[in-house]
Amino acid sequence: MEILIAAAVITAAIVYYLQRRAQRKQQAPSRTVALVWPSPGAFSVRLAEDATDQPTLARLAGDAAQHDTAALLLPIDDHPADARAIRVEIAGQAAGYLLGNDARNFRRRLQHKNVERATTQCMARIVLAPGTRGADGKRELLLDLKPLK
């Protein structure tokens, strides 16, 4: 009898896991780019320092004081600090996140363009933060988008 109960519990856990996994796959953002945002050239959207991955930014920029590249913007619903976050990927690596009001404002733009759950692309610039020098300096991630208001 105990073996049957244990088998039922294990089976239920496996079914639950598989269902959750299937839901996440359905909600996972696509890597197919649905929209390339126009580049105004101002790089006016700055990601908060605590929302960037400094080692990734340093690796991507190398020794350059400024590095321009394409970035993918992916709406995600599972960021621990913000369920409405936008992940910024560069060269297949998570470089940072739009969080808070910036994420909500960007999601409104996505909705306005009818691409709410889609991956979009913009130009990004990795720069040395003011007051820092060299390869070990802090980096900032700027997106070439119209300001998020």
Side-chain angles (χ1 to χ4, degrees):
M1 183 69 168
E2 291 174 4
I3 293 174
L4 289 175
I5 292 173
V9 169
I10 291 170
T11 302
I14 291 171
V15 168
Y16 175 78
Y17 169 77
L18 293 173
Q19 287 175 338
R20 293 288 295 166
R21 188 171 144 196
Q23 287 174 344
R24 285 191 180 127
K25 281 186 178 180
Q26 289 173 351
Q27 294 174 355
S30 165
R31 294 295 195 275
T32 302
V33 175
L35 174 71
V36 176
W37 296 99
S39 293
F43 293 91
S44 59
V45 176
R46 179 181 315 268
L47 276 67
E49 182 182 328
D50 61 348
T52 60
D53 184 333
Q54 287 295 313
T56 298
L57 294 179
R59 203 170 34 256
L60 291 166
D63 292 336
Q66 177 178 309
H67 176 70
D68 290 357
T69 186
L72 296 180
L73 307 171
L74 300 94
I76 60 170
D77 300 328
D78 60 356
H79 188 280
D82 187 347
R84 305 289 290 161
I86 304 294
R87 181 172 54 236
V88 180
E89 288 187 3
I90 299 174
Q93 301 174 54
Y97 295 87
L98 284 173
L99 301 172
N101 287 335
D102 284 344
R104 280 147 192 68
N105 290 335
F106 187 76
R107 282 185 181 250
R108 277 194 283 280
R109 284 189 191 172
L110 292 173
Q111 191 173 25
H112 179 72
K113 298 283 187 179
N114 294 317
V115 291
E116 301 82 38
R117 300 284 313 148
T119 297
T120 60
Q121 179 179 317
C122 73
M123 289 303 295
R125 178 172 286 166
I126 303 168
V127 297
L128 281 170
T132 61
R133 294 184 188 169
D136 295 332
K138 288 197 184 272
R139 303 283 179 159
E140 292 185 340
L141 181 57
L142 311 171
L143 302 179
D144 196 14
L145 297 168
K146 292 180 183 176
L148 298 171
K149 297 177 185 177

